[in-house]
Amino acid sequence: MKFKLITYIAAISGMILLGCSGTKSRSTSGTAAISLYERKADSVLKLMTLEEKVGQMNQYNGFWEVTGPAPKDGDAAKKYEHLRKGWVGSMLNVKGVKDVRALQKIAVEQTRLGIPIIFGYDVIHGYKTVSPIPLAEAASWDMDAIKKSAEIAAAEAAASGLNWTFAPMVDVSRDARWGRVMEGAGEDPYLNSVIAVARVKGFQGEKYDEFHLAACAKHFAGYSFAEAGRDYNTVDISDNTLHNIILPPFKAAAEAGVATFMNSFNELEGIPATGNHYLQRDILKNRWNYQGFVVSDWGSLGEMVAHGYAKDLKHASELAANAGSDMDMESSGYVEHLCALVREGKVAESKIDEAVRRILKLKFELGLFDDPYKYCNEEREKQTIGKKEFLDGVLDVAKKSIVLLKNDKQLLPLKKQGQKIALIGALANDKTSPLGNWRIGADDNTAVSVLEGMQQYKGNTLTYAKGADVATGKTVMGFKTHVNVTDKSGFAEAINAAKQADVVVMVLGEHGLHTGEGRSRSELTIPGVQQELLEAVHKVNPNIVLVLTNGRPLAISWAAENVPSIVEAWHLGTQSGHAIAQVLYGDYNPSGKLPMTFPRNVGQVPIYYNHKNTGRPGDGQPTESVFWSQYNDVDNSPLYPFGHGLSYTTFEYSNLKLSGNSFAEGGNIIVSVDVKNTGKLDGKEVVQFYIRDLVASVTRPVKELKGFEMVSLKPGETKTVSFSINKKTIEFYSANKIWEAEPGEFKVFAGGSSATKLEGNFKYTVQQPQRP
Ligand code: BGC
């Protein structure tokens, strides 16, 4: 291996300079001590020209794949030239040991200082072995399974030469029209926070060995609050919502040591996030003392021109650098203009130094200065990708992600013998759709279909009929963009199969590529002719098990009323068909709970459980009444609430008890509740605890999730589950614009969903000063 000598001198001098005194922590938040890696970064920084420093702040897309609007010619010649000059600090969308090594070789051997490149990629829910989409995984409420899934993704991606993933997305999402709800953990800040921590730990591990990579908390901030759920649209939210709802998962990720942050496309208070000083410097880098670096989103720096915030790319670069955006993804703004801006005194060189120091620090932490080819081992690549244990791991989380929405006539679990089953729906025989939207490392047709999964169960007669295509038209970027709204030529065959069957399993919903970035919808119905197919089949055989595969909550009021069993199966990844079949046949008793509210219709959106009460609470009011905050044509309540999910057994909650009726600072209250398995099968239940702050300096939600625990119960068994409430539990961003606990009265709720009515009361009191 041939590395630049100068790099080594720099790295080693950093170590000698320090002796043993530097801390080797890679914490990215809250530590004042200068770490060994920061000192090493400084030792390299000293050797760099301004051009080389700015080069570190430049990230280019590779030459083959795109995940955003790309320059027409791909700009390959310019990019290679810049690479050789040392003007590229990072690349995205280059993968595979061979390609990564080739580009790393240029950086290390042909540039003056030989500083290695960091290679980023959207490893969102798996790499080659695909996990369920993040929204689905969130439905598992199982942090060990979610962490394991991130570990699998990290191991495969790292074996493929990558060392940085643009995940987790921790945007709290309330609007199902927004296509990217599939990429996050749903509508609750607390659930998003604990999942963010699990994912960061899974991706990054205890240390950056060759099976882990750097993670990235995105999109900072507010992106999911795009008006009307239209991707990239304007965001206009209060500081209260920003701090109480949007920021907590980012803070949790920062405290868990996430290596990087990504800013976002949207504006906030009229200022695009990429140029937003308040977000990036005031909150993230100052208030939170975050020591990692911030990468822009794809082209978001340049997009500040279209926003009407910067007059040209140079101006945008000035605004972004001053606001604390450390790396420019694919706008070329920094590489083209930042040196001039420094020379003109518009951006202080100290700001450049600060950004580069953060970037170099991560390269040291990852071990790239010690061995730039650490992630480039062909043998490991071959041995690691697609390992059997990875397939088992993603199957496990896939089963846990499934949510049983309804099971009225006990059609489920299916009998294993002597049944005639009709399996209907194009998505039942699709080996690509289950891979979901962000499966860019995986190949088409590599998921197990529902048909294949059900074929493993040989005791029944299984007849498959497509019924109708989901997508149609031209293929663009690997998928058919249009939904089939006309072609019903397969209906007759499906109806015929249904007529002969004891039970009909219908797999309907959205294609995996009809959700995700840039895939907003204005309707939330089951797309195209599929709803008509469902109704036509129902006429001849109402014994239907509806298996939904989709990337967002759907409005399925008709099905909820007419179909006896509904299973929410999302896009579950490589092992999808096995996971679904095992749940349908009862080899896995479903335990998932919804991480996002299902609306009755699109007009209710955004609908979320942790809403405010308003001055005229309309819940429970008849629809014909007026002067209440409700609709005249639909109830306020959701179709399925946040936290809802059934099992093949049943659970009963009772005996909610509190250890006291008040506590003061330093104290706590223990809440406990009994959960009994009242059915006939072993089952798992996610016991959820919510609170409500009745009166506060700013209005508080009607319920807020504060804790949960998964319990396994045998038939007849009861367990007592407890939860501790202390000052931290009741803190919020108050009228004083700080996080604090205010004295007052609270309710606490426990149950199997956010709709639980089992409640108790407590007070938080201010400690009276002791008399002398
Ligand atoms: C997305 C990011 C993603 C980036 C790189 C953007 O369009 O918003 O989430 O990480 O592209 O692919």
Side-chain angles (χ1 to χ4, degrees), residues 318-595:
E318 176 189 337
L319 293 166
N322 282 328
S325 209
D326 300 310
M327 186 180 275
D328 168 16
M329 182 192 287
E330 193 58 12
S331 279
S332 297
Y334 283 174
V335 73
E336 282 172 24
H337 302 291
L338 214 41
C339 291
L341 286 163
V342 171
R343 289 189 184 109
E344 289 160 21
K346 293 194 170 133
V347 177
E349 187 157 356
S350 59
K351 290 215 170 97
I352 310 294
D353 286 351
E354 184 224 302
V356 177
R357 185 184 201 226
R358 288 169 185 266
I359 295 164
L360 293 178
K361 178 171 80 89
L362 181 59
K363 293 184 178 185
F364 273 112
E365 287 172 346
L366 284 165
L368 293 175
F369 276 95
D370 296 327
D371 179 3
Y373 304 108
K374 174 177 160 186
Y375 291 84
C376 297
N377 179 327
E378 279 83 356
E379 199 41 44
R380 187 166 59 240
E381 187 175 37
K382 247 188 270 146
Q383 303 292 325
T384 309
I385 292 177
K387 269 189 181 172
K388 163 84 173 68
E389 64 179 89
F390 294 166
L391 288 171
D392 295 344
V394 298
L395 174 58
D396 179 63
V397 66
K399 286 188 283 195
K400 292 174 172 167
S401 302
I402 293 172
V403 184
L404 180 63
L405 294 177
K406 182 180 178 196
N407 194 21
D408 276 3
K409 285 174 28 186
Q410 310 298 312
L411 287 182
L412 290 174
L414 297 172
K415 296 192 185 84
K416 287 187 178 163
Q417 301 288 333
Q419 296 277 292
K420 279 190 260 160
I421 297 182
L423 177 63
I424 295 173
L427 291 170
N429 193 19
D430 196 313
K431 292 172 64 59
T432 297
S433 172
L435 298 172
N437 179 283
W438 276 118
R439 50 91 186 181
I440 45 185
D443 304 316
D444 278 352
N445 289 310
T446 51
V448 177
S449 70
V450 181
L451 176 59
E452 289 168 332
M454 290 190 70
Q455 280 167 342
Q456 304 302 307
Y457 292 82
K458 314 266 185 221
N460 289 327
T461 317
L462 184 68
T463 311
Y464 171 69
K466 177 169 79 172
D469 282 320
V470 175
T472 180
K474 268 207 323 217
T475 301
V476 178
M477 288 173 77
F479 78 108
K480 291 189 163 58
T481 46
H482 289 90
V483 169
N484 171 23
V485 287
T486 48
D487 182 5
K488 300 183 217 162
S489 54
F491 273 34
E493 188 201 3
I495 290 166
N496 202 31
K499 275 187 193 154
Q500 324 288 320
D502 299 310
V503 181
V504 184
V505 176
M506 294 190 76
V507 183
L508 307 177
E510 298 177 310
H511 188 276
L513 290 169
H514 285 165
T515 67
E517 185 175 351
R519 276 87 161 172
S520 295
R521 291 182 61 198
S522 65
E523 292 287 354
L524 292 174
T525 45
I526 299 174
V529 296
Q530 293 179 96
Q531 175 66 32
E532 227 179 302
L533 176 67
L534 174 62
E535 292 179 29
V537 167
H538 184 265
K539 277 200 186 113
V540 299
N541 190 343
N543 281 343
I544 297 176
V545 173
L546 172 61
V547 177
L548 289 171
T549 79
N550 42 289
R552 70 186 102 214
L554 295 177
I556 47 156
S557 289
W558 188 91
E561 216 163 284
N562 296 287
V563 174
S565 293
I566 308 178
V567 174
E568 175 52 73
W570 318 104
H571 297 124
L572 291 175
T574 306
Q575 293 281 53
S576 178
H578 288 320
I580 293 170
Q582 288 179 24
V583 164
L584 295 182
Y585 275 105
D587 285 341
Y588 183 84
N589 189 354
S591 53
K593 300 275 188 181
L594 291 179

Side-chain angles (χ1 to χ4, degrees), residues 154-171:
E156 284 197 345
S160 190
L162 299 166
N163 33 47
W164 182 19
T165 173
F166 304 126
M169 184 185 103
V170 302
D171 297 312

Side-chain angles (χ1 to χ4, degrees), residues 67-68 92-93 122 166 180 183 218-219 223 262 265 297-298 329 438 517:
T67 44
L92 78 149
N93 293 339
D122 291 285
F166 304 126
R180 292 191 90 164
E183 200 178 335
K218 69 187 189 186
H219 305 85
Y223 180 37
M262 183 185 289
F265 294 121
D297 203 346
W298 177 294
M329 182 192 287
W438 276 118
E517 185 175 351

